[in-house]
Amino acid sequence: MGTKFGSVIHRADRGTFRAKYTYHGEVITKTFKDRLSAEAWLNGERSRVEADKAGITKWTSPTDRKRQEAAVKRRRTLFCDYVMDEFAPTWLNYATDGSELASGSKRKHREYLQHLTHSFFWKYPLTSITTEDINRWLADLDNFGGATPRKKTFQLLKAVYSKAVAEGAVAKSPVTMKAPAVPKSRQAQIPPATAEELQTIYANMPSTTRISVWLGAILDLRIGEVVSLQVQDWNPKTQTLRVCHSADVNGQLKSTKTATSNTTQPVPPQLGKLIDKACEDKRPTDFIVTCADGTHITPNRLRDHFNEAKTKARRPDLHFHTLRATSITAAVATGASLKDTMQWGRHADAATSIERYQRASGTERMREIANGIEDTLMGHEPTREELEAEIQKTKERLADLERQLDALK
């Protein structure tokens, strides 16, 4: 049926009515379920066209109008609504690869989101928050309770705006600054344990838990992973140990900290013998490291054993987690590359491995290089003290070799 403005065509095969008109060279169409709705829409469009011709309001196509309406709606969207409705539901529960977060990671995400909800711009429109607003928010460390929560919350904010830009909710992100720096933690600055210190700690721990020292220092395992190892995780034929669980503070099994933490570690021969012994007369589902009565041990209880023994080694500053740094340091000393360190350390991000690698190959290695260059270019006349120290070291080494020989006899 024709009209003075456009037309309405009945499409019998689909049971619909298509309204159509042409203006400024564009063919504009829209489909309706009934004729009255189609004609009403055409009348509205005719009014827009006539207003444009009269110079009253500029005509735009329905598509452009819809886009403009969406833009207006976005400008009215509050930051808090966008975060809670569009971003948080996924971010709180899932990693970027789609896997579900561990309970500890979920707890941390909730903590960082809580910090963000306390920002003064929380109820600002999404499009009105400026770089200056963010800088002012970041300047007050008390907002976050520490440097690390501040950095993590900043990264959350940056991720929110990355999503908003990708979806067209904002033209560009106001988060243009670098992430706030985080000072190195005290624990990260603790020197690794020496071989002698590890032997002393091992000797002063209960027989059912002492193997944990080498599981941490040689295989680079976290304390939660150590207490979760079961007999069935040990393969004596291939001399490998499967790391597939961690434990919460109550000792309940859970997923490893990250997907990269879930792996199978090669076990060197001496440690393999200790694992064989720890697995003797146990069922496949029994744990390798246990309390004295054979029951499952919690991370905190194992930590108590370690902390008591470390004082015997005169290293009260050590943490069980320092054994991971010890392992990396030893790996670098054997010639491990940065790539090797990343794989051995099972770190979720390269930055952690780089930091550990640089620390392990840093100051002391540079000193060794400097001393070697000096000896090569200048020559070196050893002092009496240096000679005496070297003699003492040689005597100790000789005594150790004689003990090993006696043991073989």
Side-chain angles (χ1 to χ4, degrees):
M1 172 181 173
T3 65
K4 294 182 180 179
F5 179 84
S7 61
V8 174
I9 300 173
H10 179 218
R11 306 183 68 176
D13 57 328
R14 299 185 182 183
T16 59
F17 294 83
R18 187 176 69 175
K20 174 183 175 182
Y21 75 94
T22 302
Y23 190 61
H24 285 337
E26 288 190 54
V27 178
I28 310 299
T29 64
K30 190 169 183 179
T31 301
F32 298 87
K33 292 183 178 180
D34 59 88
R35 182 181 298 278
L36 288 178
S37 297
E39 291 177 346
W41 178 78
L42 269 183
N43 287 332
E45 290 299 304
R46 178 169 54 190
S47 298
R48 292 177 182 275
V49 169
E50 290 174 350
D52 181 69
K53 290 179 178 179
I56 300 172
T57 56
K58 184 178 180 180
W59 176 88
T60 55
S61 69
T63 301
D64 288 339
R65 269 178 259 149
K66 188 174 181 179
R67 189 179 297 117
Q68 290 165 3
E69 289 169 2
V72 170
K73 183 179 178 180
R74 285 198 298 268
R75 284 196 293 271
R76 291 174 181 166
T77 300
L78 298 182
F79 177 73
C80 57
D81 292 335
Y82 185 81
V83 171
M84 300 308 292
D85 297 341
E86 303 295 332
F87 187 88
T90 299
W91 180 81
L92 282 173
N93 297 292
Y94 298 97
T96 53
D97 62 0
S99 61
E100 186 170 0
L101 294 173
S103 57
S105 297
K106 289 181 180 179
R107 184 178 66 253
K108 283 296 183 183
H109 276 209
R110 289 193 298 271
E111 175 189 332
Y112 305 142
L113 179 59
Q114 186 67 20
H115 288 309
L116 188 60
T117 65
H118 291 157
S119 60
F120 67 86
F121 51 74
W122 178 242
K123 293 188 177 180
Y124 282 22
L126 179 66
T127 57
S128 70
I129 298 172
T130 65
T131 301
E132 290 71 22
D133 290 331
I134 297 170
N135 279 325
R136 182 155 62 94
W137 169 65
L138 289 172
D140 190 353
L141 189 60
D142 291 339
N143 287 333
F144 312 93
T148 298
R150 175 175 63 174
K151 181 175 182 177
K152 295 295 185 179
T153 308
F154 168 84
Q155 291 171 335
L156 163 58
L157 174 66
K158 186 173 183 178
V160 167
Y161 270 103
S162 293
K163 176 180 173 67
V165 170
E167 294 178 346
V170 293
K172 68 175 185 177
S173 171
V175 189
T176 58
M177 67 292 291
K178 291 183 178 179
V182 176
K184 289 185 177 180
S185 68
R186 292 180 181 179
Q187 186 175 146
Q189 299 176 51
I190 297 173
T194 65
E196 292 77 12
E197 290 165 350
L198 292 173
Q199 290 285 2
T200 301
I201 295 171
Y202 174 83
N204 284 277
M205 286 182 69
S207 60
T208 58
T209 59
R210 59 176 48 159
I211 193 176
S212 65
V213 174
W214 302 123
L215 292 171
I218 294 178
L219 298 188
D220 198 35
L221 301 189
R222 301 174 178 90
I223 195 167
E225 295 166 344
V226 169
V227 302
S228 303
L229 292 172
Q230 296 174 300
V231 173
Q232 62 191 359
D233 296 326
W234 167 236
N235 189 330
K237 291 183 179 180
T238 60
Q239 292 286 289
T240 55
L241 189 65
R242 184 179 55 158
V243 182
C244 54
H245 291 107
S246 187
D248 59 23
V249 293
N250 297 316
Q252 296 298 314
L253 294 188
K254 63 177 185 177
S255 300
T256 53
K257 183 178 181 182
T258 63
T260 54
S261 298
N262 194 322
T263 188
T264 298
Q265 293 285 75
V267 177
Q270 290 190 63
L271 179 55
K273 291 177 182 178
L274 294 178
I275 297 176
D276 278 333
K277 187 175 180 180
C279 292
E280 284 180 357
D281 302 322
K282 289 183 178 180
R283 296 168 299 181
T285 54
D286 288 341
F287 292 96
I288 295 175
V289 178
T290 67
C291 294
D293 61 1
T295 58
H296 190 202
I297 193 168
T298 65
N300 285 342
R301 186 67 186 123
L302 177 58
R303 194 174 285 111
D304 289 340
H305 289 189
F306 178 83
N307 290 344
E308 185 174 344
K310 74 184 182 183
T311 60
K312 306 292 185 181
R314 298 181 180 179
R315 282 301 305 272
D317 58 324
L318 286 178
H319 294 257
F320 192 93
H321 201 73
T322 312
L323 299 183
R324 276 173 61 78
T326 301
S327 181
I328 293 295
T329 300
V332 173
T334 65
S337 66
L338 174 57
K339 184 177 180 180
D340 295 332
T341 303
M342 291 174 65
Q343 183 174 352
W344 186 252
R346 301 172 297 132
H347 297 131
D349 61 287
T352 304
S353 291
I354 291 171
E355 181 180 344
R356 291 279 179 85
Y357 180 83
Q358 289 176 338
R359 178 185 173 196
S361 60
T363 306
E364 291 306 313
R365 179 58 180 153
M366 294 303 102
R367 182 176 294 281
E368 290 176 9
I369 292 173
N371 291 345
I373 294 172
E374 180 187 72
D375 289 347
T376 300
L377 300 180
M378 295 179 63
H380 179 65
E381 189 71 28
T383 65
R384 181 183 182 86
E385 290 77 12
E386 288 175 337
L387 288 171
E388 289 176 344
E390 191 63 33
I391 290 171
Q392 180 61 32
K393 187 187 298 184
T394 303
K395 286 181 178 179
E396 291 174 357
R397 176 59 178 156
L398 179 60
D400 183 52
L401 290 172
E402 289 175 341
R403 282 194 297 271
Q404 292 182 40
L405 182 59
D406 290 341
L408 290 174
K409 291 178 180 178

